[in-house]
Amino acid sequence: MLQTRSSDHAPMIAPGHRVFGIKIGSAAVVVIVLALLPLYASEYAVSVGILIFLYMSLGQMWNLLAGYSGLVSLGQQIFVGIGGYTLAMVTQAYQLSIALSFFIAAGISVVFAFIVSFPIFKMSGVYFTVGTWIVSEAMLVFFRNWEFVKYDAGYNITVAYRISMPALYLGSLAVGVGSVVLVFLILRSKLGLALMAIRDNEGAAETRGVRLYRTKLACFLISSVYTAITGVVLYLNITYVKPGAAFGIDWTVCMVFIAVIGGLGTIEGPIIGAVIYVILRQYLYNFPGISMIILGVVAVAIIMLAPAGIMGVLRNKFGFTFFSVGRQLPAGFGSIRKKAAGRRGRPS
Amino acid sequence: MDAPVLSIEDLASAFGSNRVLTSVGFELRERETLGVIGPNGAGKTVMLNIITGILSPDRGRIVFLGRDISRKSVVDRARMGFGRTFQIPRSFENMTAYENSLVGAVFGAGRTEKSAGTGVCEILDLIGLGGKKLDPAGKLGLLDRKRLEIGVALASNPRVLLLDEVAGGLTESEITEIMGIVRRVKDSGVSVIWIEHVMQTMLHGTDRVMLLNEGRNVICGLPEEVMSSGEVEDAYLGSGIHARTERRG
Ligand SMILES: Nc1ncnc2c1ncn2[C@@H]1O[C@H](COP(=O)(O)OP(=O)(O)OP(=O)(O)O)[C@@H](O)[C@H]1O
Ligand SMILES: [Mg+2]
């Protein structure tokens, strides 16, 4: 019983702080090893790394919405598109810096997300999902007919050519690690407590005083802004932007794949999901035409074998969690479960 | 006599043609435990749902500490000091018992997580979940979940505590324990509305008892008087509260 951790609690209680220190330490080592990858790995490996980190970030942000606040959006490509187009306009049309693109993309997306929240937050469940998708389709049509962005012609993002592969890799690593840290900090905060309550039971959360609208809106704004920031880096990698691709639902399909395969409502899930997704897709380049079918089959297989995703299985069967966002008992109350803590004291 | 903490005025509520409440009105006083009895389907839970804002009534007013709160949202009422338990427990299944109560303390009582921790643990100890603080609520048995309902409601530091059948299915000694807890809570300055079918809790655990039947509060008074009244006998004719007590207790 004690070993089947359901979710989000500290797997260790008594030696909590030490374990926390060890985890921070090992996470830091992993990040450093990853950061040095361009020094010892092939260019191909580095390019795959870029994709993994960026898709990890997309998956984290979609999971924050769907996995925690119950907002299943099929319109998050809007923000990838905003990121890509902001980069193109700022650097090509206005010849300004890449750094500025991040701020402008964040600004535009927070305003846009806030405005669309009024109509779409009036809808719930599947209506919300359809609503977000309709908004994203509308964006696609709008961009195709908007002179300011050169209609359907799109832009080549030439500043991106001057960015070296290692630099782009480090930027992607920062975005990917940043997304994990962001979600971790959110879940540890008061907002996170509200989100976890909403994830488990919206009605009960409300009766306990959790403001649903405000909490979900905060979640939507954060997720949208970070998706746009990720979009900027994605388009530094892609180097040309067109409405069809920028606002295509493919982006959200891969976010869903990553979050669901990895495990909804967990921090580890999108990390695992992104690694699987990117590597699988690299491999599937050898099978053009049927690659989408294979991805679909993989998704269905994992969902049927493990509805809670890979992380769900690891957690429920083996008690594995790395990012514990569970609340620890205050000092003086922690000793009650020492025995159990000892049993769970294996490295995770 | 103190001004009432809560006064309920002429509540009416119907679901389609099913007129559940036709006219319910009563007052809840300072430091009082008001027992509510009534046959199955009398509308006791509906009444609690109206008081907490989950349902809106067709007619009537709810006045809390002199303010009409009839139009306030569920969240506002929770934050104002209404703590309740659900007849069918509604816990946050993937969160621990401790975290469940923390939600009540942080969002209901407006405390910080840090400052709420010790109090929440003491509440869990009090309600007998001390050894299960870090168990996910979804892994608790039904009785423990009912305890947790009380814990979460208490953690929200309520001014009015609304209990909806928390003693059903408990053993004799557990019922005594619950009555002790309710008494302590009341003594700390909370007013309590306690819906229960278990005779003993109503007789010995309340200050007044109210009978809800056929959409109205039929009689209200001292526990012994109400419980031995003809109205109660009539209301329970056939099902019989005494028979129920034996079955459940
Ligand atoms: N949301 C709802 N929609 C429609 N009808 C409802 C709803 N909630 C309650 N009712 C009806 O209202 C009536 C009263 O139900 P309620 O749950 O309040 O009874 P109760 O007095 O709490 O009974 P019990 O002792 O069994 O808990 C029932 O006939 C029930 O079917
Ligand atoms: Mg009921």
Side-chain angles (χ1 to χ4, degrees):
Chain A
M1 268 296 277
L2 294 176
Q3 302 217 336
T4 54
R5 310 302 301 168
S6 184
S7 98
D8 296 336
H9 354 81
M12 287 122 215
I13 308 312
H17 289 286
R18 213 186 66 221
V19 171
F20 190 64
I22 293 171
K23 283 187 174 180
I24 293 263
S26 49
V29 169
V30 169
V31 171
I32 290 168
V33 169
L34 287 173
L36 298 176
L37 192 82
L39 295 180
Y40 56 81
S42 69
E43 195 153 289
Y44 175 71
V46 172
S47 71
V48 170
I50 290 171
L51 292 178
I52 290 178
F53 296 132
L54 295 176
Y55 280 91
M56 180 192 300
S57 173
L58 294 180
Q60 283 294 355
M61 291 306 126
W62 195 80
N63 181 43
L64 187 60
L65 279 183
Y68 286 94
S69 61
L71 297 171
V72 180
S73 166
L74 285 183
Q76 293 312 97
Q77 62 271 26
I78 294 168
F79 302 99
V80 176
I82 286 176
Y85 264 99
T86 306
L87 174 68
M89 299 312 291
V90 168
T91 61
Q92 295 305 124
Y94 292 97
Q95 301 285 313
L96 295 168
S97 77
I98 295 173
L100 192 63
S101 318
F102 286 100
F103 293 102
I104 295 180
I108 292 175
S109 54
V110 75
V111 171
F112 188 82
F114 187 66
I115 291 169
V116 295
S117 76
F118 288 99
I120 63 174
F121 271 51
K122 289 216 170 65
M123 307 178 232
S124 60
V126 69
Y127 297 99
F128 174 86
T129 305
V130 173
T132 54
W133 180 65
I134 289 172
V135 173
S136 74
E137 289 298 300
M139 281 293 271
L140 172 54
V141 172
F142 181 76
F143 269 68
R144 280 194 170 137
N145 293 287
W146 195 14
E147 190 190 350
F148 181 62
V149 296
K150 292 204 298 192
Y151 305 111
D152 207 21
Y155 276 94
N156 281 316
I157 301 165
T158 53
V159 282
Y161 305 157
R162 294 199 296 272
I163 296 178
S164 71
M165 184 85 110
L168 187 59
Y169 173 84
L170 288 179
S172 308
L173 177 68
V175 166
V177 171
S179 73
V180 175
V181 172
L182 179 64
V183 173
F184 181 74
L185 292 179
I186 289 173
L187 293 180
R188 285 253 174 165
S189 73
K190 183 179 169 187
L191 175 62
L193 190 68
L195 284 174
M196 289 188 276
I198 290 174
R199 172 195 65 190
D200 284 3
N201 191 329
E202 257 189 48
E206 209 174 11
T207 326
R208 303 306 178 201
V210 176
R211 297 197 189 280
L212 298 185
Y213 191 95
R214 214 181 273 184
T215 308
K216 290 183 174 202
L217 181 61
C219 197
F220 184 60
L221 295 182
I222 293 169
S223 171
S224 301
V225 167
Y226 206 85
T227 301
I229 288 171
T230 310
V232 174
V233 185
L234 272 167
Y235 275 94
L236 282 173
N237 189 37
I238 297 170
T239 72
Y240 64 90
V241 64
K242 283 184 71 161
F247 295 99
I249 198 163
D250 293 12
W251 290 116
T252 297
V253 170
C254 83
M255 295 175 202
V256 176
F257 183 94
I258 288 167
V260 171
I261 296 299
L264 273 179
T266 67
I267 298 185
E268 298 87 347
I271 302 176
I272 300 170
V275 171
I276 293 175
Y277 175 79
V278 171
I279 291 177
L280 202 59
R281 224 186 49 175
Q282 294 300 312
Y283 179 70
L284 290 177
Y285 277 131
N286 303 323
F287 305 95
I290 58 164
S291 65
M292 284 310 273
I293 298 173
I294 297 178
L295 275 179
V297 169
V298 170
V300 171
I302 294 188
I303 289 167
M304 285 176 65
L305 291 172
I310 293 170
M311 191 53 210
V313 172
L314 291 177
R315 191 186 55 199
N316 295 336
K317 289 235 159 59
F318 308 106
F320 170 87
T321 51
F322 187 85
F323 299 98
S324 337
V325 293
R327 271 40 175 188
Q328 310 223 346
L329 298 180
F333 290 94
S335 56
I336 293 155
R337 293 281 294 273
K338 261 204 178 112
K339 214 178 77 213
R343 264 205 279 157
R344 273 187 254 123
R346 74 190 110 96
S348 57
Chain B
M1 183 98 255
D2 292 331
V5 172
L6 185 68
S7 60
I8 304 299
E9 299 172 9
D10 194 27
L11 285 187
S13 173
F15 299 98
S17 62
N18 181 7
R19 287 159 49 109
V20 179
L21 302 180
T22 50
S23 177
V24 171
F26 63 90
E27 289 185 344
L28 180 67
R29 301 174 194 146
E30 195 82 46
R31 286 171 197 264
E32 172 185 57
T33 300
L34 175 67
V36 177
I37 57 171
N40 293 108
K44 304 180 295 294
T45 300
V46 166
M47 183 184 82
L48 277 205
N49 286 343
I50 292 173
I51 294 175
T52 50
I54 293 172
L55 292 173
S56 46
D58 302 331
R59 192 184 68 222
R61 271 187 358 136
I62 299 158
V63 179
F64 174 58
L65 298 174
R67 278 174 67 196
D68 183 352
I69 58 157
S70 309
R71 308 231 163 278
K72 294 280 180 198
S73 70
V74 176
V75 172
D76 285 341
R77 293 187 210 191
R79 291 177 175 226
M80 241 173 229
F82 286 85
R84 77 169 285 182
T85 69
F86 288 97
Q87 190 171 348
I88 298 159
R90 291 189 175 183
S91 14
F92 307 117
E93 306 216 332
N94 294 307
M95 300 169 77
T96 62
Y98 174 68
E99 289 163 349
N100 269 266
S101 312
L102 212 50
V103 172
V106 170
F107 299 100
R111 310 191 56 170
T112 63
E113 277 189 38
K114 236 191 165 70
S115 72
T118 306
V120 162
C121 285
E122 283 165 4
I123 288 170
L124 289 171
D125 289 341
L126 173 73
I127 57 166
L129 284 178
K132 298 180 177 171
K133 292 191 186 83
L134 294 175
D135 284 10
K139 297 241 153 63
L140 295 176
L142 179 65
L143 292 186
D144 279 340
R145 284 189 188 212
K146 288 206 161 196
R147 288 172 196 272
L148 184 56
E149 285 285 311
I150 303 177
V152 179
L154 289 181
S156 70
N157 191 24
R159 192 75 173 66
V160 176
L161 177 64
L162 307 161
L163 301 171
D164 196 352
E165 301 200 26
V166 289
L170 298 185
T171 65
E172 194 74 20
S173 69
E174 286 170 329
I175 288 176
T176 314
E177 216 177 288
I178 294 266
M179 293 200 314
I181 292 169
V182 174
R183 185 172 307 277
R184 276 181 63 174
V185 170
K186 185 192 81 169
D187 289 343
S188 75
V190 178
S191 304
V192 184
I193 295 180
W194 189 357
I195 296 173
E196 201 66 74
H197 285 299
V198 181
M199 170 86 157
Q200 182 195 351
T201 58
M202 295 293 101
L203 263 183
H204 306 299
T206 66
D207 300 308
R208 287 190 301 155
V209 172
M210 178 176 101
L211 168 68
L212 199 68
N213 194 25
E214 293 175 340
R216 296 179 305 116
N217 44 316
V218 181
I219 175 177
C220 187
L222 291 175
E224 312 85 61
E225 289 171 18
V226 171
M227 297 308 264
S228 56
S229 68
E231 283 90 342
V232 168
E233 211 157 293
D234 288 348
Y236 282 92
L237 208 67
S239 69
I241 192 168
H242 304 278
R244 299 181 57 111
T245 317
E246 274 157 35
R247 185 166 52 81
R248 295 200 178 200

